[in-house]
Amino acid sequence: MSKLSEERAQEINALIKEMTIEEKVGLMLHESMGVERLGIPAYNWWNECLHGVARNGPATVFPQTIGLAATFDIELVQKEYEAISDEARAKYNEAQKAHDNGQYRGLTFWTPNINIARDPRWGRAQETFGEDPYLTSEMGKAAVHGLQGSDPDNLKVAACAKHFAVHSGPEETRHTADVKPSKKDLWETYLPAFKELVDEGVESVMGAYQRLYGEPCNGSKFLLVDVLRKKWGFKGHVVSDCWAINDFHTHHKVTKTPAESAALAINNGCDLNCGCTYHAAIDAVRQGILSEEKVNESVFRLLMTRAKLGMDKSWEKSKWANLGSSVVNSPEHRKLARRVAQDSIVLLKNDKNLLPLTKEKHIRKIFVVGPTASNINSLLGNYYGLNSKLVTILEGIAGKVEERPEITLDYHPGTGMYHDSAQRGWTVGMTESADVVIACFGLDNMMEGEEGDAVETLRGDRDAIELPEHQLSYLKAIRERGTPVVLVLTGGEAISFPRDIADAVLFAWYPGEEGGNAVADVIFGDVNPSAHLPVTFPACTSDLPPFDDYNMKGRTYRYATKEPLFPFGFGLTYTKWEFKNPACKVNEDSVSVTVDVKNTGDCDGDESVQLYVAKSERSENDPICSLRAFKKVHIAKGGCETVRFELSKKAFETITDEGESEIQSGRYRVIVSDSSPDSVSVKLGASVPVEVSVQI
């Protein structure tokens, strides 16, 4: 503990001694009552900044988190969250001038979501960094560093790792479910990112709604005491998911009264109640089922967070006090949002190099069709901010065409977004006079999201991962007319569709305020796409295990054996790449890996070099392979760069059936590629992977 922390601890303990039990408990609710007589103002802990400051007026709207993950660019992730924390501080400063400590006006942000997107039907998968624990860990750490800054005693804002743990749908049963993954899956897939963020110094951890092995996560001795506090040494505060503690007695039935629920949560170290159940903590103390010492521990941790944020002093003394409203959605932040969106768009297919639509291809007429072309909800995803300059895909394309007067542009939605939409069959004929059709289809935030947010699907989850049937039938009708088709899909997770439905396919996720411009930048060749899939695209829904099965067998690139539509890590560019001369050197505590990456195509480009480790002789329960490192490099056409990786021995760990980590001696394959080493990758256009064998 630093000297400053020791001084703060003494001050906080002195304050706690002066408080009544009612005042202490009042500080443990997300809508904190404060203790004015001791100089502690009321404060609302609930704030969101998943991909920009949310629900608090104007803000820069960055691409949804799953799109950020597709960049495979850790430095870019940190830059985005540094910009978000700038806007968060600026908004806090303005709120303080107005003496406003209300909801969404504070400095404690419930971001990032580091749950594993184990199933594409989950509506909240869009909030995550994808299906891989290593990618999630690296992206999550960059987000925490961008939000909190580099000084653990003086936080810019407080980040929160959520939802602890094993949370990834179904939304319909999250208040009642008791999930029971194998110990191997728990420690191999679900917990690693949380451990990494705790080590990174994340200030807060949020519990999940469901039970794990019979215990509600927000009151789990196993999760909150044995793992988080004792095994990992977490020192920050724990917050419940909203009204999750109420679920203890109303849905999970593990307690009978609000007082028992409050006692269970606080006794196991859940410090802050998003909700109102902790009002009953006063009765719990009086009944003798909760000690005041446990309340004191939670209040201490909460006040320490507020002290680290400078909330125990005047906001004018903060080193971020100079940030004002001019930084919010500033030109620099809009430029960054556009870059993130550009780098998040995945080129899945490009037959006969249809894209980009350069001047040399003599395109004279473009027909834009589809319901997402002018749909704001297809830009936003969930937990979003707003501003007055949200650029749709249609607007982005129109902006490019303004620069090319030789092109005629026409547009019609053709059909609506949702299942009961009428189709305008006559618009199909409009494609015949065009040189190229840009078809904009997919999902929006009314079709997938959190429970209660999406209204077109059951509790936010999808029943099936296929492109909605009415959209697919319209696309088939367009395809039959013979005009080349560029398909632009939006969505927060994998969408299954026939590979031959279009000549070129771009997956744009929910690309944020500059999404339309970014899509147009890629289509017209101002940007060479460089994104890669952070999730596997299964071929069909029937290839997935049951949605409510939390074991990983048959899921993600690490355990699924069925051929995917598109594999994890896959993504094409407008140039070509060659990997050669892989080499490994085994050191005492690490393994050094080098590989030469050559740009053999016709344009400069960015490549995400991915390194996977696999056992040469794996058991049935071992992952097929695991991502262990990645690096994004820029290489000019004809250029070659030697890419270096330094792997710790942990990259070769095995998680046993009992959940223990071991470094097992034997031979391992080290594979370097630009996609997970799946049998379909090269067939779809990925570079040929290279590999070496290493003895550990």
Side-chain angles (χ1 to χ4, degrees):
M1 183 180 290
S2 68
K3 182 178 179 180
L4 178 58
S5 293
E6 290 177 357
E7 292 174 354
R8 285 171 171 165
Q10 292 175 2
E11 294 174 0
I12 291 169
N13 283 324
L15 285 172
I16 292 173
K17 287 180 180 179
E18 297 295 321
M19 295 180 197
T20 65
I21 185 62
E22 290 80 7
E23 288 171 332
K24 294 172 186 177
V25 169
L27 292 172
M28 296 172 63
L29 300 159
H30 82 272
E31 198 168 1
S32 170
M33 299 175 184
V35 186
E36 294 293 344
R37 69 183 183 87
L38 297 178
I40 304 173
Y43 174 69
N44 195 306
W45 291 76
W46 189 343
N47 304 277
E48 307 283 357
C49 67
L50 186 62
H51 54 116
V53 178
R55 303 175 175 177
N56 184 12
T60 305
V61 185
F62 291 94
Q64 179 60 288
T65 312
I66 194 75
L68 180 60
T71 68
F72 274 68
D73 191 333
I74 295 171
E75 292 182 3
L76 189 61
V77 173
Q78 183 170 326
K79 285 181 181 178
E80 175 181 314
Y81 283 101
E82 286 173 349
I84 291 171
S85 60
D86 278 352
E87 297 194 11
R89 269 285 174 175
K91 286 179 171 292
Y92 177 75
N93 293 343
E94 297 297 334
Q96 290 303 293
K97 292 177 186 177
H99 306 289
D100 184 355
N101 281 313
Q103 191 171 5
Y104 307 132
R105 307 290 279 178
L107 293 174
T108 47
F109 285 86
W110 295 342
T111 297
N113 183 339
I114 54 169
N115 292 133
I116 298 301
R118 66 181 178 92
D119 193 300
R121 289 168 288 196
W122 185 35
R124 299 189 73 179
Q126 61 180 284
E127 301 177 26
T128 75
F129 291 111
E131 70 182 35
D132 182 72
Y134 179 78
L135 179 64
T136 298
S137 298
E138 295 302 299
M139 294 279 176
K141 289 190 293 184
V144 169
H145 194 72
L147 289 171
Q148 295 190 170
S150 57
D151 183 353
D153 286 331
N154 296 284
L155 303 179
K156 192 176 183 185
V157 306
C160 176
K162 67 183 187 184
H163 309 82
F164 191 56
V166 198
H167 180 59
S168 50
E171 289 291 290
E172 184 180 17
T173 60
R174 65 182 184 172
H175 300 287
T176 57
D178 182 12
V179 301
K180 299 177 180 179
S182 70
K183 290 181 180 179
K184 178 179 176 65
D185 287 338
L186 177 71
W187 292 98
E188 189 171 62
T189 297
Y190 292 113
L191 293 186
F194 286 97
K195 170 63 163 59
E196 290 293 318
L197 265 65
V198 168
D199 289 346
E200 186 69 16
V202 70
E203 182 64 17
S204 176
V205 170
M206 176 181 280
Y209 281 112
Q210 79 279 348
R211 281 170 285 158
L212 176 67
Y213 306 138
E215 291 185 305
C217 292
N218 292 277
S220 167
K221 179 181 180 296
F222 167 69
L223 282 176
L224 302 184
V225 178
D226 299 341
V227 175
L228 188 62
R229 298 287 183 192
K230 292 183 178 179
K231 188 179 182 69
W232 294 348
F234 178 63
K235 303 299 183 184
H237 73 268
V238 173
V239 55
S240 77
D241 209 338
C242 295
W243 282 265
I245 294 172
N246 183 68
D247 286 344
F248 291 9
H249 53 277
T250 58
H251 297 299
H252 292 305
K253 305 296 184 181
V254 298
T255 56
K256 295 180 179 179
T257 66
E260 290 180 3
S261 297
L264 178 62
I266 297 169
N267 279 327
N268 287 311
C270 184
D271 306 302
L272 183 68
N273 175 203
C274 181
C276 54
T277 307
Y278 276 9
H279 284 297
I282 299 169
D283 287 340
V285 171
R286 290 169 178 164
Q287 293 172 27
I289 58 176
L290 172 65
S291 70
E292 193 161 349
E293 287 73 21
K294 280 292 182 182
V295 172
N296 292 346
E297 290 177 11
S298 290
V299 173
F300 177 89
R301 288 191 282 256
L302 296 175
L303 290 180
M304 182 59 80
T305 295
R306 292 176 68 160
K308 291 178 182 178
L309 291 165
M311 296 173 69
D312 56 343
K313 308 294 182 185
S314 175
W315 66 272
E316 293 102 328
K317 296 180 181 179
S318 163
K319 60 182 175 181
W320 299 286
N322 63 316
L323 293 172
S325 58
S326 63
V327 76
V328 177
N329 201 31
S330 64
E332 293 78 13
H333 288 183
R334 287 197 69 90
K335 182 178 179 181
L336 180 60
R338 187 165 180 166
R339 181 190 165 191
V340 176
Q342 292 166 343
D343 289 1
S344 72
I345 296 168
V346 186
L347 178 62
L348 294 176
K349 181 180 179 181
N350 195 21
D351 280 0
K352 298 179 180 178
N353 295 320
L354 174 60
L355 293 177
L357 303 181
T358 60
K359 290 184 178 181
E360 291 74 19
K361 293 180 179 176
H362 303 292
I363 302 296
R364 292 295 177 263
K365 184 174 181 180
I366 296 173
F367 182 54
V368 178
V369 67
T372 65
S374 59
N375 184 350
I376 295 295
N377 288 331
S378 292
L379 302 178
L380 296 175
N382 66 354
Y383 284 98
Y384 51 82
L386 292 169
N387 62 63
S388 61
K389 298 179 181 178
L390 303 173
V391 183
T392 65
I393 297 171
L394 178 61
E395 289 169 328
I397 293 170
K400 292 295 182 186
V401 171
E402 287 178 2
E403 301 169 4
R404 294 178 54 179
E406 76 276 10
I407 295 178
T408 298
L409 179 67
D410 201 355
Y411 159 73
H412 197 285
T415 186
M417 284 295 301
Y418 311 125
H419 68 280
D420 58 350
S421 300
Q423 296 192 19
R424 300 293 183 263
W426 58 268
T427 59
V428 174
M430 297 173 69
T431 66
E432 294 182 347
S433 62
D435 295 311
V436 65
V437 174
I438 300 176
C440 304
F441 287 86
L443 310 176
D444 70 7
N445 60 16
M446 294 291 99
M447 302 169 76
E448 59 177 351
E450 190 173 2
E451 176 193 28
D453 284 348
V455 297
E456 292 294 323
T457 51
L458 181 64
R459 300 294 181 103
D461 297 326
R462 288 184 288 161
D463 293 329
I465 66 170
E466 283 75 18
L467 189 69
E469 181 57 38
H470 73 283
Q471 294 188 26
L472 182 59
S473 65
Y474 190 85
L475 274 170
K476 288 179 177 177
I478 292 173
R479 190 69 167 146
E480 290 171 357
R481 296 301 176 110
T483 304
V485 176
V486 177
L487 175 60
V488 180
L489 288 171
T490 60
E493 242 283 7
I495 299 174
S496 174
F497 57 91
R499 288 200 195 113
D500 62 357
I501 199 66
D503 300 276
V505 181
L506 294 172
F507 205 91
W509 312 102
Y510 296 125
E513 66 180 39
E514 284 286 331
N517 284 330
V519 169
D521 289 337
V522 171
I523 287 176
F524 290 92
D526 294 330
V527 168
N528 186 352
S530 62
H532 293 257
L533 294 177
V535 291
T536 301
F537 276 39
C540 57
T541 306
S542 60
D543 282 351
L544 294 169
F547 192 9
D548 58 359
D549 182 356
Y550 274 77
N551 291 299
M552 293 305 296
K553 184 178 181 180
R555 298 189 183 279
T556 78
Y557 78 96
R558 298 206 296 164
Y559 311 99
T561 56
K562 295 181 179 179
E563 182 177 294
L565 180 67
F566 296 102
F568 173 88
F570 179 79
L572 304 175
T573 73
Y574 293 152
T575 191
K576 297 294 182 183
W577 305 95
E578 180 182 354
F579 296 85
K580 57 184 181 179
N581 303 324
C584 279
K585 179 183 177 183
V586 179
N587 309 308
E588 183 177 352
D589 297 316
S590 65
V591 176
S592 302
V593 181
T594 59
V595 64
D596 293 338
V597 181
K598 186 174 183 180
N599 183 343
T600 62
D602 298 327
C603 60
D604 302 345
D606 293 329
E607 175 64 308
S608 292
V609 185
Q610 304 162 35
L611 186 151
Y612 296 84
V613 171
K615 283 185 175 179
S616 295
E617 297 182 4
R618 57 180 286 267
S619 71
E620 182 181 0
N621 290 335
D622 287 326
I624 297 168
C625 63
S626 296
L627 181 71
R628 292 306 191 206
F630 58 90
K631 186 174 293 186
K632 197 160 191 175
V633 294
H634 179 81
I635 303 177
K637 62 179 180 180
C640 184
E641 180 175 329
T642 299
V643 178
R644 303 177 186 276
F645 297 102
E646 197 73 20
L647 303 179
S648 70
K649 290 293 180 67
K650 184 177 172 61
F652 299 88
E653 77 171 350
T654 293
I655 302 299
T656 69
D657 290 344
E658 295 303 312
E660 299 296 327
S661 174
E662 295 179 352
I663 306 296
Q664 298 178 350
S665 60
R667 298 206 69 82
Y668 291 80
R669 299 164 59 212
V670 176
I671 308 155
V672 182
S673 61
D674 56 6
S675 176
S676 56
D678 188 280
S679 59
V680 76
S681 300
V682 176
K683 181 174 68 176
L684 295 175
S687 302
V688 177
V690 294
E691 67 176 82
V692 290
S693 179
V694 59
Q695 177 72 36
I696 299 296

